[in-house]
């Protein structure tokens, strides 16, 4: 033990001594070797040569002469570089025990040295570098041997190239070089030198008192003062700047968060604490009533996935963003506070302004999403700080009308809405609510529910109660091992034993492990349309297709966007409230959007429900009651959809929102866009003989096709309708064409697989059987509804439907709004929508042949002019149809293709 201790104490000293001795020996050797090399003389006697009788000239005597002779013979001219090479290797091994590369340092140096000496001497041999009078030439024995070998295999250039590459590699290994950073450093050094030189030059000139300072341009001093920064430095500096900025931004945002949390109203904090406490400390069923809103939020539907087309939604959002910013500008013109805000923004640096607008736009999008599903708490909280950014459409219109009274020329240029919206005061005001169950009643009802279920052998515990205007939802926690299906199957028995009309079992409540039992209230409150329309969610939504459907189970308004659905199927038994529901949807649009924004095609086979809307300016065609006309209306819509797609592709936009923005921007900029689909021959035949000019594009309105009973259409017209509906449903979203299809026959021959696959959003009113419910929703539940507007709304992509108590719209309300609109304007009907019903009705062979084809051919042959516009004028049909007819004639060989002068040759002799 003591021995080993003394050993361990002695060894470091010994190591140090050994190291130092080694260093001295190495130094000695290097000096000796260096002197011997550099005092080499070819006449000195050596290993290969006995020498002259002259005295030895090598300063290290005969030994030095032999060493120098050996190295020079073997390595050729390269032997001069041996001493520095050895010194370098010594330094590397001494100072850097750990190599940068994942290899032993000694190994690196050895490999590097061998490569250097071998291929360096090859290079010396090939290119006669250094003294060629050395005994074995400038390549030495090694260079000669290896060089000749390489030359024999890869030739002169190849040998040079390979040797160069290997020498470079050897340098890399020996110096453990990183070429890029070496270049970096070299560039940096050169730059510094140049800067130094220039500074000195300027100093010198200044000292000389030259005029150059007064006239810097002449002397190019301006250039000198701001020398162009090399890209490498610029990059570095930018990187540094951006990282600094990021840090600053982070710090700032942290600081704001801190500030915000500090500035939070103490009362608010207290309330938060209280609510947290109540959640923890009051597990009573009533304490959970407050959470009912959250339940609704959990159902917030996502935007449906429509494959390629779905991605277009981003553009929709863009459009909304654009609108919002535009409105904000308006607002600044009217409202002094907003103006102040804008001026503040303007005074801020550009980047800040951009950041703010981006923030606004993000909030707008989020808000829109929240708003649309009645999450009022969320919206009011988030919106308030940016109120001007999310003006409602009606507010914006008020501002517009205010703007128009100002003499500002820029304001006058703007597209004024040609209509004002009807006043909502025409709607029936809601009556006071009678309310559902009292607290005591709720308690006893929950006990009764537990008891009744126990009677059926199902042990459950009521954990939460959510009272609403029409039903009350009891959330129950079943005992372990009890299947949900058992409770679902007991729905009817439960309703009977509780003496209520019906009980709906909600098998899955998103995010919870409980089951919902929905029991109708004894006294049912009516949900008035004026209640659901006068809500933040509806007001704040910027979409012209915003629909206010009704209240959810906790009494919050449910507001959705048809543009995002993008089509909806409404089904329910007769008297379940479908027509009232459809009316609520139509009124939602009529109270939100002008005919410039939304146009409608209404199909009403019953001649009762929708005929009431006859004469409103939103209609594209009189309310269709004939199913043949209806089918043709669908065909027109498909044509219109195709036309819109062509226009959008010509303008390079992906949806109607983008198209309208581009067209409006162009109009506002005073350079409206010419119709890209216009054809030159249209100019030749105007009605009054005046040559036509290229028409300009106008913003396109959304088109909503509302069919009150599409089963009739399917029965009368047949398969073609199904195909047309599927075509519109698949593609029309981007073109701004949307379908609302209602039926009272939820059977598979009406709601076919093709229609279901293409219309993802469904609205199920009360139905008589579970099978019907499955046909509509792919699940039961609609059979347990209460009727009179009680519905299950299934947004696309959501697995479970939302129960909505539809708003009641009376005939008087509809009449009042219709009257308001009739006073505002006449409808501008498009005749094409319903013409030519025969082609759809007739057999398949004539399906693609236009009924007016023969007449068109007659006209062309008579007039000897195959012009689209003349056919259009003579037959009083739309351009598209006339173009199709002329193209059909071309296909049939009656007329030739259009020539460069815009004329077609008539191929049939006179
Ligand atoms: N949201 C509602 N609130 C209160 N009552 C309603 C509501 N919706 C409908 N009703 C009542 O139900 C009745 C039938 O409604 P509606 O005419 O809309 O049913 P429907 O399903 O269209 O029937 P049909 O297919 O026979 O036309 C209405 O007259 C009205 O009294």
């Amino acid at each position: 033990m003591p021995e080993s201790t003394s050993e361990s104490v002695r060894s470091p000293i010994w190591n140090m001594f050994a190291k130092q001795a080694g260093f001295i020996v190495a130094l000695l050797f290097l000096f000796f070797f260096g002197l011997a090399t550099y005092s080499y003389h070819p006449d000195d006697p050596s290993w290969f040569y006995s020498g002259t009788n002259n005295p030895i000239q090598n300063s290290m005597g005969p030994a030095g002469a032999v060493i120098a002779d050996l190295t020079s013979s073997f390595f050729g001219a390269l032997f001069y570089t041996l001493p520095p090479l050895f010194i370098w290797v010594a330094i590397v091994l001494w100072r850097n025990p750990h190599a940068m590369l994942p290899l032993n340092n000694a190994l690196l140096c050895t490999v590097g040295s061998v490569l250097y000496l071998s291929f360096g001497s090859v290079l010396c041999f090939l290119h006669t570098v250094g003294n060629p009078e050395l005994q074995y030439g400038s390549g030495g024995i090694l260079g000669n041997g290896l060089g000749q070998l390489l030359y024999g295999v890869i030739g002169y250039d190849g040998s040079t190239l390979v040797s160069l590459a290997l020498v470079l590699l050897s340098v890399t290994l020996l110096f453990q070089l990183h070429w890029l950073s070496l270049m970096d450093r070299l560039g940096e050094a050169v730059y510094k030198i140049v800067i130094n030189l220039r500074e000195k030059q300027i100093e010198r000139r200044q000292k000389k008192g030259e005029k150059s300072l007064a006239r810097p341009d002449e002397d190019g001093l301006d250039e000198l003062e701001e020398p162009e920064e090399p890209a490498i430095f610029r990059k570095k500096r930018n990187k540094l700047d951006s990282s600094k900025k990021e840090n600053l931004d982070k710090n700032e945002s942290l600081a704001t968060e801190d500030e915000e949390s500090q500035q939070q109203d103490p009362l608010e904090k207290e309330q938060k604490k209280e609510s947290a406490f109540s959640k923890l400390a009051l597990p009573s069923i009533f304490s959970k009533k407050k959470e009912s809103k959250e339940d609704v939020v959990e159902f917030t539907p996502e935007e449906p996935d429509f494959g390629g087309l779905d991605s277009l939604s981003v553009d929709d959002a863009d459009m909304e963003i654009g609108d919002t910013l535009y409105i904000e500008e308006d607002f600044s013109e009217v409202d002094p506070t907003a103006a102040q805000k804008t001026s503040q923004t303007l005074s801020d640096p550009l980047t800040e302004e951009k950041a703010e607008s981006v923030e606004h736009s993000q909030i707008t999008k989020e808000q829109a999403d929240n708003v649309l599903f009645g999450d009022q708490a969320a919206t009011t909280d988030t919106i308030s700080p940016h109120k001007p950014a999310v003006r409602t459409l009606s507010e914006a219109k008020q501002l517009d009308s205010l703007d128009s009274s100002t003499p500002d020329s820029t304001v006058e240029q703007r597209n004024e809405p040609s209509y004002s919206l009807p006043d909502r005061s025409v709607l029936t005001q809601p009556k006071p609510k009678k309310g559902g169950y009292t607290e005591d009643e709720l308690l006893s009802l929950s006990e009764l529910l537990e008891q009744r279920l126990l009677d059926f052998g199902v042990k459950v515990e009521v954990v939460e109660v959510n009272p609403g205007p029409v039903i009350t939802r009891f959330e129950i926690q079943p005992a372990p091992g009890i299947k949900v299906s058992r409770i679902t199957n007991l729905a009817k028995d439960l309703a009977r034993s509780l003496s209520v009309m019906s009980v709906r079992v909600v098998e899955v409540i998103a995010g919870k492990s409980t089951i919902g039992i929905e029991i109708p209230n004894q006294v049912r409150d009516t949900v008035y349309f004026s209640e659901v329309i006068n809500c933040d969610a509806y007001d704040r939504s910027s979409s012209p297709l915003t629909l206010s459907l009704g209240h959810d189970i906790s009494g919050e308004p449910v507001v959705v966007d048809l543009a995002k659905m993008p089509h909806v199927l409404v089904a329910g038994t007769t008297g379940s409230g479908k027509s009232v529901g459809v009316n609520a949807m139509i009124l939602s649009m009529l109270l939100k959007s002008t005919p410039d924004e939304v146009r409608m095609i209404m199909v009403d086979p019953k001649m009762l429900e929708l005929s009431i809307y006859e004469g409103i300016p939103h209609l594209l065609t009189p309310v269709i009651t004939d199913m043949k006309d209806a089918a043709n209306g669908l065909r027109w819509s498909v044509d219109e959809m195709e036309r819109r797609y062509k226009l959008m592709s010509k303008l390079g936009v992906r949806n109607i929102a983008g198209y309208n923005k581009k067209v409006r921007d162009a109009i506002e900029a005073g350079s409206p866009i010419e119709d890209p689909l216009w054809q030159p021959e249209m100019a030749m035949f105007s009605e009054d003989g005046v040559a036509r000019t290229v028409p300009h594009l106008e913003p396109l309105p959304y088109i909503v096709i509302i069919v009150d009973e599409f089963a009739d259409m399917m029965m009368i017209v047949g398969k073609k309708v199904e195909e047309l509906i599927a075509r519109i449903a698949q593609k029309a979203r981007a073109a701004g064409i949307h379908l609302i299809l209602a039926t009272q026959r939820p059977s598979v021959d009406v709601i076919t697989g093709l229609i279901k696959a293409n219309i993802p959003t469904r609205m199920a009113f009360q139905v008589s059987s579970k099978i019907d419910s499955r046909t509509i929703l792919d699940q039961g539940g609609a059979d347990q509804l209460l009727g009179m507007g009680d519905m299950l709304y299934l947004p696309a992509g959501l697995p479970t439907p939302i129960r909505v108590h539809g708003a009641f719209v009376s005939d008087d309300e509809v009449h009042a709004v219709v009257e308001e609109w009739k006073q505002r304007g006449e409808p501008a009907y498009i005749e094409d929508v319903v013409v030519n019903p025969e082609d759809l009705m007739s057999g398949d062979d004539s399906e693609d042949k236009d009924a007016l084809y023969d007449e068109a051919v007659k006209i062309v042959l008579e007039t000897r002019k195959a012009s689209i516009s003349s056919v259009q004028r003579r037959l009083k049909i739309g351009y598209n149809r006339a173009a199709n007819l002329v193209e059909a004639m071309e296909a049939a060989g009656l007329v030739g293709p259009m020539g460069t002068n815009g004329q077609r040759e008539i191929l049939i002799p006179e």
Side-chain angles (χ1 to χ4, degrees), residues 455-499:
D455 294 345
F456 295 115
V458 179
K459 194 171 181 307
V460 299
E461 190 195 347
V462 176
V463 291
E464 194 173 323
V465 179
N466 297 310
V470 179
I471 56 118
T472 298
R473 183 190 274 185
F474 295 81
E475 284 187 23
I476 57 168
Q477 186 75 60
I482 291 180
K483 282 188 169 179
V484 185
S485 54
R486 251 181 98 184
I487 302 172
T488 313
N489 292 337
L490 287 172
K492 276 198 178 130
D493 297 309
L494 258 182
R496 186 185 43 78
S497 62
L498 291 170
S499 314

Side-chain angles (χ1 to χ4, degrees), residues 216-262:
D217 287 2
E218 284 175 18
D219 295 303
L221 260 184
D222 50 349
E223 268 176 47
L224 294 176
E225 279 164 11
E226 282 181 45
E228 207 191 326
E229 201 177 9
I232 184 172
F233 288 96
R234 216 167 33 237
K235 263 189 214 163
K236 272 189 179 178
R237 195 166 44 73
N238 289 346
K239 219 172 164 185
L240 207 72
D241 285 352
S242 62
S243 71
K244 266 188 196 169
K245 200 168 173 283
E246 259 173 42
N247 284 340
L248 272 174
D249 286 350
K250 266 185 204 163
N251 290 344
E252 261 174 37
S253 67
L254 281 175
T256 355
E257 268 174 36
D258 274 355
E259 258 174 49
E260 273 171 17
S261 65
Q262 276 168 18

Side-chain angles (χ1 to χ4, degrees), residues 230 682 722 800:
M682 284 184 75
E722 192 187 352
T800 42

Side-chain angles (χ1 to χ4, degrees), residues 5 32 179 212 325 335 342 430 568 639 646 715 734 740 769 773 825:
T5 318
F32 184 88
W179 289 101
S212 56
L325 295 175
D335 186 297
T342 317
V568 60
D639 283 349
K646 273 186 205 155
M715 294 302 128
I740 299 178
S769 70
S773 176

